[in-house]
Amino acid sequence: MPKRRKTYIRQLDHDDGDKALEFELQFQSTLATAERFKMMFEIYDRIKKILIRNGHIKPVEIVQLDS
C-alpha cells in the first residue's frame, strides 16, 4: 500500500507573497529529491505542450556552450 502524504492547502484572507513563498518552501521541504525532480519535469512537459499549442514549433531548449 502506498505511503499516504499530508495534504497541504494554502488558505489566506488576502494575497501575501511572503506567506505564499513560506508555504511553498515548507511544502517542498517535505518532498524527497526524486519527488521534486518528478514535479519539475511534469511542469516542464505542461509548459512544452502549451508552447507547441500556441504556435512555437520548438520549446525552449537548454544548450551547452563550448568553452
Side-chain angles (χ1 to χ4, degrees):
M1 178 166 247
K3 182 179 175 184
R4 295 193 62 159
R5 298 205 61 87
K6 182 177 178 183
T7 302
Y8 287 83
I9 299 174
R10 185 173 77 102
Q11 193 172 31
L12 302 173
D13 294 335
H14 62 284
D15 191 21
D16 186 347
D18 292 335
K19 286 190 178 186
L21 178 60
E22 181 182 328
F23 173 84
E24 184 64 28
L25 292 174
Q26 180 184 5
F27 170 70
Q28 290 291 328
S29 70
T30 66
L31 300 175
T33 303
E35 291 172 312
R36 291 184 203 152
F37 273 96
K38 181 182 176 197
M39 183 184 295
M40 179 182 68
F41 289 127
E42 288 171 356
I43 292 170
Y44 175 73
D45 286 339
R46 276 191 257 157
I47 292 171
K48 257 193 331 190
K49 289 176 185 175
I50 291 169
L51 286 172
I52 292 169
R53 186 178 61 226
N54 289 318
H56 298 278
I57 304 293
K58 282 187 165 185
V60 176
E61 296 177 352
I62 298 174
V63 180
Q64 180 178 356
L65 301 175
D66 292 330
S67 301

